[in-house]
Amino acid sequence: MSTILSAADAVARVAYLSSDLVLSVQPALGVDSIFSKQLRALAARKSPGLVTKEPEVQALKHNADPLLSAFQPLRSGQFVSVTTYSSILLTSIPHLYKLAQYPIVLHVALHPPHHPDYSEITAIRQSGFVFLQSETLQEAQDIALSAHALAIRSGKGIIHFFDPANSVDDDPIQGEDKEFVRGILNAPAARSHASQEDGSIYVDERNHPTVTETGINGLGHEQDPNTGKRSYPSPVPSQRATGDESSNSSSAREDSGSSDSRPSLSSATSVNSTTTRAITSEDIYDFVVGIWNDIAAATGRKYQAFEYSGPTDAECALFVFGSTGVFVDEILEANPSDEFAKCGIVTARLYRPWLSARLAEVIPPSIKKIAVLEQVRRKTTKWGPVLLDILTSLRTAPSQRDAPAIVGHQLGYIEPATARQALRGIFQNLKSPSPIQNLEVGNQVPPDTSKDQYRLEQPKVENAYMKILDQVFGQRLYLANQLDAANAGISSSLAANPEFGFGSLLARIEHRKRFVSEVQDAAKTRNFVTDVPQSWLSKWALNAEDPSKANNLAPEVIARLSADGSPLSSQLLSTRGLFYHESQWLIGSDAWAYDLGNSGVHHVLASGANINMLIIDSQPYSERAAADATRRKKDIGLYAMNFGNAYVASVAVYSSYTQVLEAMIEADRFQGPSVVVAYLPYNQEDDSPLTVLQETKKAVDLGYWPLYRWNPFNEDKGQPNFSLDSERIKHELEDFLKRDNLLTQLMNRHPDLSANLSGSFGTEVRALQKRKAKNAYEKMLESLYGAPLTILFASDNGNAESLAQRLGRRGKARGLKTMVMAMDDYPMEDLATEENVVLITSTAGQGEIPQNGRGFWEAIKSNAEIDLSQIKFAVFALGDSHYWPRKEDKIYYNKPGKDLDSRVAFLGGKRLTEIGLGDDQDPDNYHTGYNEWEPNLWQALGVDKVEGLPEEPAPITNEDIKIQSNFLRGTIAEGLQDTTTGAIAASDQQLTKFHGTYQQDDRDLRDERKAQGLEPAYIFMIRCRLNGGVATPSQWLQMDSISSSYGNGTMKMTTRQTFQFHGVVKTKLKSAMRGINKALMTTIAACGDVNRNIMCSVLPTQSAFHRDVHQISAKISDHLLPSTTAYHEIWLKDENEKQTQVAGNAVVDQEPLYGPTYLPRKFKITIAVPPHNDTDVYAHDIGLIAIKGANNRLQGFNVLVGGGMGATHNNKKTYPRTGSMMGYASADRIHIVCEKIMLVQRDNGDRKDRKHARLKYTIDDMGVDVFRGKVEELLGYNFEEPRPFQFKSNIDTFGWQKDENGMNHFTFFIENGRVEDTAEFPMKTGLREIAKVHKGEFRLTPNQHLCLSSVHDDDLDDIKGMMKKYKLDNVQFSGLRLSSSACVAFPTCGLAMAESERYLPELITKLEDCLEENGLKHDSIVMRMTGCPNGCARPWLAEVAFVGKAYQAYNMYLGGGYHGQRLNKLYRSSIGEEEILGIMKPLIKRYALERKEGEHFGDFTIRCGMIKPTTEGKTFHDDVAENESDEEA
């Protein structure tokens, strides 16, 4: 049994065991309370509770109206406890009166530390709660348990309060005994209180705990023969009274139906009757006495409502309502001569209800005088509340004829060293003939305890908005309630609230008005040395309220006054800051949005004052918040708009940075109140930006947080008042508003239904869709005969769905009524009524069921009441037995299918056949297991011997799609015009790749959109074709504009040296394509089974040579470009333009190089210029190594073939490969050489298996020499011997460099190629401004960075100034960060298994301290990360690489060559961040200590034996550091 050291831990453990839900109130989500650490540990371990299997712990901020979160779970029948400091009690008074009627327990640690204020308890004593107090560590455990048991028995709210400091020196105690706790709680009765569905949060609900008394009809209640007390059945709170039922007992008699109240003969015999009435104080006392008797019987520890300790013949006593610890030791150790020798101490264990009779019972009759000590710092009356309680009890009690004299004292802070002196003073006053009432004892102001208290701080994530304010307004910015501002005599919490800030701003506004008046008067005087200040002051005074003009004039005015030197000038300069027109802001949180904190906002709006408010809402979008109507905050935006005099904006910095800027500028210009409600969702104050981004996207996309701006005076200017800026949901939001209008009347008539109507709309839509889909299926099957067969699938890559669809077709052919649906599209309530069910699932992530089956799995996993005894079922699972190489991870192999099979059988289902397991490691992949399983299914269904089955059509392949596409047309044009969906047809999705665009969907939003009954958030990625990565400034500006107008506001610079746009919706796709074309760029063949963008080295120091190789890249690109006119026809022609048609409906097209089926797979070409291998020349289908001639100009190329990065996890038939040397070819022939290599691949590549279709496999299948021979045969000549060359690195050189012509080049560090604006770094804006004046070119690097090329010396200072302004001149990053690269991955890439671009920067940050500690901060280590094994960031060539395996799990690879010349090898499989850091940090230290001079990291890992070198692609899977086991768990 564990040992407990603190009262808070003891209380937290009892609360966890005794509750369904524990609300942990904390100073901030990232700052623990004294309870929260223990609660979080219990929840993390999933420790079982006693009233529920796994209690929930919910952290809440202390200023976010935390008790509001208790209502919904209480009404649903849950037992709720709250752990909190006493500081929330006064602001929660409106809730307490209501909560007192529910079985909730509040464990309250009194605040502030070391000298708590008990007035926070006395102030709420009339709220209807029962109050229990503990003082020692053991008491804290016992009274916490008593509180929960009493709540269960009585149905009443209980407040257990204690001073944590009172027990800090207590000896440790044993942890609670669960069986003992279970017995005290009476856990089987824990569900006896009724679930309440009423929606009001107000007090007058006529809803009170009741008790049922049992008696003999007409003869009264049963009584305990031993105690004489009433006895009650268990559980006691039999129901909750409503209406008049609780008011008196007459209703119970009237409801009996008898007109004669006299007992009948029969009723007077043995028939029991029951009476229901409201619970009284005596009932509470009886309950708690019973609980304490049980505790005493088990432990020997006794408790009473009032407790007396001391001599039985004592004449004086202390009644202490405060921290008793300081006095107890002194009294126990008192000398006989001390004034307080032989005195007693009285404390209240049960403070409310206050039972006068019980107090009188415990005080010895010998007591003549009682000193009442109240530790109440906030006095609201002359006499203390406890003093009045005692006076009433002892002076009016019938048994107290000679009541003791009672003297009140105010107990202040007492140092332990002065406790004896304080006691002497108390007793001297008590024994005085004329004692002083309300004598203050100790210091009223305790010593500074700030180090023990939570200090108000701005959460780190909120810095984004603060930085934007600072960027926009600079010196003009004034924050009225800024934290740590000097506000004499005002606490930081008070100074941060809106009322204080509003008042201070009004005062500041008045001060400036007076100042303007003073300036106007000064301008009319002759009290200056010269006449110059007068004219400037007059100008300023005329424009004082115009921010722009006043601020422009202010420096000039100040300069003239400073030069004047007169006394009047000095006087005006003493407040020189008022010459500037400030942008005045109040900063607040979503705590202002609750009823309890809304008054300050109301005052600002109602005043009409020109004040700006920025209110940051941090509540994440969640189903819980959406479903709990009582937890909802006021919509401050709507609230402000209803005033009609305020500018209102709803913004989200992680959705639209530009819109935030616009809103803040507009708010500042607006003459009147402005409210900018800013979204910044987080669960912890130190959440990563990635978490905030994902939550923001959900909220904005689903309409939970619409982006808009409202200016009530815009219509005066002929502009709309309301501007909706969240364009992705514009139409959906309009539909929502229409629906809201239709429901308004119903909601007005039935306000209690309002939350349910709006909150559950998405759920209802989803259920309706499921029902309609199934009904449509059933209607279609009505005409069929045979047994029904329902086939449900969960699929993440299409394989399980394809199998399910094929099984359905085969079932129909056998005469079965087959229905095929995704598991999550199936209405669960129908499952028990099915006859035959087949479940087919693949395996996702860490052995998880795929996305479209999770709801189905959760439903059958968590519901033990489903009876599936009437169904027969079969399961087929798809997985990979080698995907999890570690033995302990083998459980993940086909886990979803195994779990489904086991669970359905547990719920009563009967197996048609044993589960089938498809394994990707089998000779025919999963088909091997499937082909064994399917015949068994048909046999079990009795349809295995059906004859005359039709032949199944072959599955449609990519080759079929290409040949049927009419040279890449397909039905793309028709799909773009279809407004019923944001998607295009599946076959068109393959074809649009050739046009440079991929259909994707925002994976951050998948779950939420599905829950709302919406299709995925379909978007498109557009990739440009940019030869050699060179763009003009005008092209840069056009790309910037396209990203803002049509994309998600960012640009991605890819590892193929081109621009990529994300988040383009279908309706904007055509416009974006046209915009790219207007910039004299294209997207044709940027993707697809064709030659793609040609890469070439950046060469900032060799401009002439760069020009040579760049011209060659353009020549090759143009030569290998597809010839189809489909691109022009679909994207560029106006609707009125007609395409010439020949031979019916077929457009005459031809592809001289490609033919109608194009290439088997993608084809990539790159050019590298030694010694810089920045293009990773070994990683491409064709790698051209540029060779200089004697004149230092381009002569020719060494030709590599067969490089490629794509692979599939654990499929050893797939692997990355470095290019093989063909030989040398001259520059004038190289485009023909590339053509012939491509043609050999066209004619010999594998068109049946796309995983085996790349050139690398063609070469390995043929052999390098055979392949070279075929190419030479087409060329008509042989390759020459390769020329010597040497590579030294494959990374970029950052900062300024000069070329041979004296032109300047600067390489910016653009982390992972993402060009965007953030509050910390306005990169996109800065590059846009530079592009407006730059006269050279932009070169995109293959490592996703940017080179500003050809800056003339005359322009250098201007460019440097702009770079500094926008923080673009910073390249002082760690060598690891500068050498890193990542692909896009989540949320847009459909292939991603894990994060990449959004996570790698965070991982590097966690390694940089270790690098610095070991002296490696500036050493280059090439680290790359991808979200899947497709290899877009070329991870297989990195010295250390992480390749996504599942969500938050990566394969780790080591040993790549620093020059990009050697593949790495698997070191660890499926590891998370903790393991990554656990490996990397010691390895970095070892590298620093043991490396040889000039030895690179990848080489070191091989030399020290950590990994073996990969000599060629075919050995990539050999000799890995972590061998895969064939053993299945």
Side-chain angles (χ1 to χ4, degrees), residues 1076-1289:
I1076 291 168
N1077 250 264
K1078 285 178 183 176
L1080 303 180
M1081 293 167 63
T1082 184
T1083 67
I1084 181 70
C1087 320
D1089 298 341
V1090 287
N1091 175 59
R1092 299 189 177 183
N1093 194 57
I1094 308 287
M1095 299 169 62
C1096 116
S1097 289
V1098 175
L1099 300 179
T1101 61
Q1102 304 175 56
S1103 287
F1105 199 76
H1106 178 265
R1107 187 162 51 252
D1108 291 345
V1109 293
H1110 182 257
Q1111 288 173 353
I1112 291 293
S1113 74
K1115 185 176 183 179
I1116 298 171
S1117 179
D1118 292 342
H1119 183 68
L1120 301 182
L1121 201 65
S1123 299
T1124 179
T1125 60
Y1127 183 84
H1128 183 269
E1129 176 187 321
I1130 293 170
W1131 304 108
L1132 307 181
K1133 274 189 173 293
D1134 293 331
E1135 292 179 5
N1136 296 327
E1137 244 184 292
K1138 303 254 184 184
Q1139 177 76 22
T1140 303
Q1141 300 286 322
V1142 188
N1145 293 322
V1147 176
V1148 173
D1149 252 335
Q1150 58 176 344
E1151 287 288 6
L1153 288 178
Y1154 292 103
T1157 54
Y1158 296 85
L1159 300 179
R1161 281 299 300 273
K1162 56 184 148 184
F1163 199 85
K1164 299 179 178 180
I1165 301 175
T1166 189
I1167 301 173
V1169 180
H1172 305 291
N1173 186 21
D1174 52 350
T1175 64
D1176 274 329
V1177 73
Y1178 294 97
H1180 304 267
D1181 296 275
I1182 298 178
L1184 303 177
I1185 302 171
I1187 304 298
K1188 289 182 180 179
N1191 61 352
N1192 280 330
R1193 300 301 292 268
L1194 180 64
Q1195 178 182 356
F1197 298 90
N1198 287 344
V1199 181
L1200 300 168
V1201 297
M1205 293 288 98
T1208 301
H1209 282 312
N1210 298 93
N1211 185 345
K1212 294 184 180 180
K1213 297 174 185 176
T1214 67
Y1215 48 83
R1217 187 185 190 277
T1218 51
S1220 300
M1221 182 64 73
M1222 289 283 103
Y1224 172 84
S1226 62
D1228 60 328
R1229 295 178 167 185
I1230 196 64
H1231 63 294
I1232 302 299
V1233 171
C1234 291
E1235 173 199 315
K1236 302 310 180 189
I1237 294 170
M1238 189 182 80
L1239 293 181
V1240 174
Q1241 164 65 357
R1242 181 195 69 186
D1243 298 336
N1244 294 277
D1246 189 342
R1247 291 182 181 267
K1248 293 182 179 178
D1249 182 0
R1250 285 183 67 80
K1251 289 187 177 182
H1252 190 254
R1254 288 291 298 274
L1255 177 62
K1256 59 183 175 181
Y1257 301 118
T1258 306
I1259 290 176
D1260 278 346
D1261 290 346
M1262 282 186 174
V1264 174
D1265 292 338
V1266 173
F1267 184 87
R1268 182 190 292 110
K1270 284 186 176 290
V1271 174
E1272 290 173 341
E1273 182 180 341
L1274 291 176
L1275 286 171
Y1277 58 85
N1278 295 340
F1279 285 100
E1280 299 178 34
E1281 285 297 313
R1283 305 294 193 264
F1285 66 94
Q1286 182 182 17
F1287 286 126
K1288 294 184 178 179
S1289 78

Side-chain angles (χ1 to χ4, degrees), residues 481-692:
N481 55 343
Q482 184 170 8
L483 293 177
D484 299 326
N487 294 298
I490 305 295
S491 70
S492 59
S493 59
L494 179 60
N497 71 34
E499 293 93 331
F500 176 86
F502 176 48
S504 70
L505 277 182
L506 289 180
R508 194 168 184 86
I509 290 170
E510 287 301 316
H511 187 188
R512 191 167 189 272
K513 283 181 181 177
R514 291 195 302 271
F515 179 75
V516 172
S517 234
E518 290 172 11
V519 170
Q520 290 170 339
D521 293 342
K524 298 172 186 176
T525 68
R526 297 285 180 181
N527 296 335
F528 296 102
V529 175
T530 68
D531 293 336
V532 174
Q534 289 171 285
S535 61
W536 282 99
L537 288 173
S538 295
K539 277 189 208 175
W540 182 88
L542 288 171
N543 296 284
E545 298 308 317
D546 184 315
S548 176
K549 292 179 180 178
N551 294 327
N552 286 334
L553 288 168
E556 297 292 339
V557 174
I558 292 170
R560 299 309 187 278
L561 290 174
S562 299
D564 183 76
S566 64
L568 182 54
S569 294
S570 300
Q571 179 186 331
L572 292 173
L573 287 172
S574 66
T575 51
R576 69 184 65 198
L578 296 176
F579 279 110
Y580 292 92
H581 192 288
E582 295 173 332
S583 182
Q584 298 175 333
W585 290 80
L586 280 170
I587 310 298
S589 71
D590 49 359
W592 291 10
Y594 295 101
D595 287 339
L596 300 179
N598 202 52
S599 58
V601 176
H602 172 86
H603 292 327
V604 172
L605 294 170
S607 73
N610 188 14
I611 290 173
N612 306 307
M613 285 188 287
L614 174 67
I615 300 174
I616 299 173
D617 193 308
S618 60
Q619 183 178 53
Y621 173 83
S622 65
E623 289 183 9
R624 178 192 293 125
D628 185 355
T630 61
R631 183 68 203 156
R632 288 184 185 161
K633 302 167 287 192
K634 277 187 182 289
D635 184 334
I636 291 183
L638 185 60
Y639 185 76
M641 287 161 70
N642 281 326
F643 269 82
N645 69 337
Y647 173 90
V648 184
S650 175
V651 303
V653 68
Y654 281 89
S655 178
S656 176
Y657 174 86
T658 305
Q659 192 239 3
V660 178
L661 292 177
E662 290 174 343
M664 288 181 172
I665 292 169
E666 289 175 0
D668 179 63
R669 290 175 180 168
F670 186 80
Q671 295 302 303
S674 297
V675 178
V676 177
V677 191
Y679 197 50
L680 201 76
Y682 57 84
N683 294 297
Q684 298 286 335
E685 283 83 355
D686 56 354
D687 271 358
S688 71
L690 173 57
T691 304
V692 179

Side-chain angles (χ1 to χ4, degrees), residues 1276-1411:
Y1277 58 85
N1278 295 340
F1279 285 100
E1280 299 178 34
E1281 285 297 313
R1283 305 294 193 264
F1285 66 94
Q1286 182 182 17
F1287 286 126
K1288 294 184 178 179
S1289 78
N1290 66 351
I1291 63 171
D1292 294 332
T1293 302
F1294 297 94
W1296 285 107
Q1297 298 178 82
K1298 272 192 183 291
D1299 66 17
E1300 72 275 25
N1301 301 320
M1303 298 296 278
N1304 302 282
H1305 306 257
F1306 185 90
T1307 302
F1308 301 100
F1309 172 70
I1310 312 290
E1311 191 157 30
N1312 298 319
R1314 182 66 64 181
V1315 179
E1316 63 181 338
D1317 278 338
T1318 66
E1320 293 80 13
F1321 187 12
M1323 177 205 309
K1324 190 165 182 273
T1325 299
L1327 291 172
R1328 183 192 313 126
E1329 295 305 311
I1330 288 173
K1332 290 176 182 178
V1333 301
H1334 181 42
K1335 299 169 187 173
E1337 61 192 14
F1338 289 91
R1339 299 179 191 172
L1340 282 63
T1341 82
N1343 288 307
Q1344 300 177 289
H1345 305 298
L1346 179 66
C1347 182
L1348 185 71
S1349 294
S1350 303
V1351 179
H1352 195 278
D1353 282 347
D1354 294 346
D1355 303 319
L1356 195 58
D1357 288 343
D1358 290 341
I1359 293 291
K1360 285 184 175 180
M1362 296 178 77
M1363 288 169 56
K1364 183 175 183 180
K1365 177 181 178 180
Y1366 293 103
K1367 305 179 183 178
L1368 286 162
D1369 56 348
N1370 183 17
V1371 292
Q1372 299 305 308
F1373 300 97
S1374 68
L1376 178 64
R1377 193 175 295 275
L1378 291 172
S1379 307
S1380 66
S1381 185
C1383 70
V1384 176
F1386 289 143
T1388 54
C1389 179
L1391 300 174
M1393 304 173 183
E1395 292 283 0
S1396 181
E1397 178 191 324
R1398 301 193 297 191
Y1399 173 58
L1400 181 59
E1402 292 183 21
L1403 179 62
I1404 291 174
T1405 297
K1406 293 175 181 179
L1407 289 170
E1408 284 177 324
D1409 285 346
C1410 178
L1411 289 166

